[in-house]
Amino acid sequence: MTSHDVTLEWPDGRTRTVEVDENETILEAAECDGSVLPYGCRTGACGTCSGRLLEVEGTRPPNSERAGDGDADVCAVDDAVAYRRLPRALKDRHRAAGYVLLCIASPRADCRIEVGSSVHSELVDNPWK
């Protein structure tokens, strides 16, 4: 069985690397490892579990801060993760910007992912602020 190392990075500077088997999602592996990540539906419909790809085995997702600066190759985000079902909570522009739904995504390569509720806030405006 193939597995990949996924490094989770929180805005406060914490990091944790979890090993994710090809038949489990990043959220499932993180929970087994004792990491607490936000989630809601577990079906890819709500987007609460959104993460943002920072790096995939030495490549950068398109539209990332360093993409195109010549330091790293650019990868296709859809090549970095496989989804169990359609990620309904993400629009095409979100996927193109490197956002992934951790509840239904399995990595196809070692990668680093920004996690936490602030990532979801980047996707959805809060009408209450």
Side-chain angles (χ1 to χ4, degrees):
M1 181 179 307
T2 303
S3 64
H4 297 284
D5 289 336
V6 176
T7 300
L8 307 171
E9 297 185 12
W10 284 265
D12 64 4
R14 289 178 295 140
T15 64
R16 189 162 191 148
T17 300
V18 296
E19 185 175 310
V20 185
D21 291 334
E22 63 186 0
N23 63 348
E24 68 182 340
T25 67
I26 297 167
L27 177 63
E28 291 168 341
E31 288 178 330
C32 287
D33 193 58
S35 297
V36 177
L37 297 175
Y39 68 90
C41 66
R42 290 186 179 264
T43 65
C46 75
T48 304
C49 66
S50 297
R52 189 169 60 90
L53 279 170
L54 301 172
E55 183 176 13
V56 181
E57 286 187 342
T59 64
R60 301 274 176 196
N63 299 328
S64 69
E65 291 176 12
R66 294 183 57 202
D69 67 0
D71 287 348
D73 294 330
V74 176
C75 70
V77 175
D78 289 338
D79 292 338
V81 297
Y83 283 111
R84 287 184 172 174
R85 59 180 57 96
L86 183 68
R88 293 179 292 161
L90 295 179
K91 296 179 175 155
D92 289 342
R93 63 184 160 91
H94 296 144
R95 292 196 339 244
Y99 291 97
V100 297
L101 298 179
L102 305 179
C103 72
I104 59 171
S106 300
R108 292 181 173 171
D110 294 352
C111 55
R112 291 185 315 121
I113 299 176
E114 181 182 9
V115 296
S117 59
S118 61
V119 177
H120 182 252
S121 298
E122 294 171 7
L123 297 174
V124 180
D125 289 331
N126 181 350
W128 308 111
K129 60 180 176 180

